[in-house]
Amino acid sequence: MAKQPLKSLTESMFYVLLALWRQERCGTEIAAYVRELTAGRVALGPGTLYAILGKFQEEALIKETWSQGRMRVYRITGAGRELFRREMENMRRCVDDGQREMGEEEET
């Protein structure tokens, strides 16, 4: 059976691609960026982070650009940017649907 390409992102995957949107980063920089951006709500442990990075490399969503010893630096690819944009648009549609259905009555 042929392997299916990644079509949607988990929250952790979303933030990994976001971390690479403007600049190349190594794994520890990605984890720190995500932790800071989300005020600790999303914490990427090493196992989760490196599993995501491996999957993204397989899917050609990111590319390793530099390495020294165990340190690896990654950048997002065009395919990664496209998947991220699609995910953002899907999230917007979901939020719009929810707000319409709720009548925006539950805003805080």
Side-chain angles (χ1 to χ4, degrees), residues 5-18 21 56 61 76 78-96:
L6 191 62
K7 293 182 180 175
S8 65
L9 301 173
T10 65
E11 184 177 39
S12 295
M13 290 174 164
F14 176 87
Y15 281 107
V16 169
L17 288 181
L18 182 58
W21 191 262
F56 282 175
L61 301 174
I76 192 170
R81 288 180 182 279
E82 180 58 33
L83 178 60
F84 185 84
R85 284 186 181 108
R86 282 196 317 262
E87 191 72 16
M88 285 281 295
E89 184 56 36
N90 187 51
M91 286 181 188
R92 283 187 189 109
R93 286 192 299 266
C94 289
V95 169
D96 290 347

Side-chain angles (χ1 to χ4, degrees), residues 15-17 19-20 25-35 44 49 53 74:
Y15 281 107
V16 169
L17 288 181
L20 297 171
R25 297 178 197 263
C26 70
T28 56
E29 291 170 328
I30 292 168
Y33 172 88
V34 171
R35 187 174 46 255
L44 297 171
L49 177 59
L53 292 172
Y74 304 93

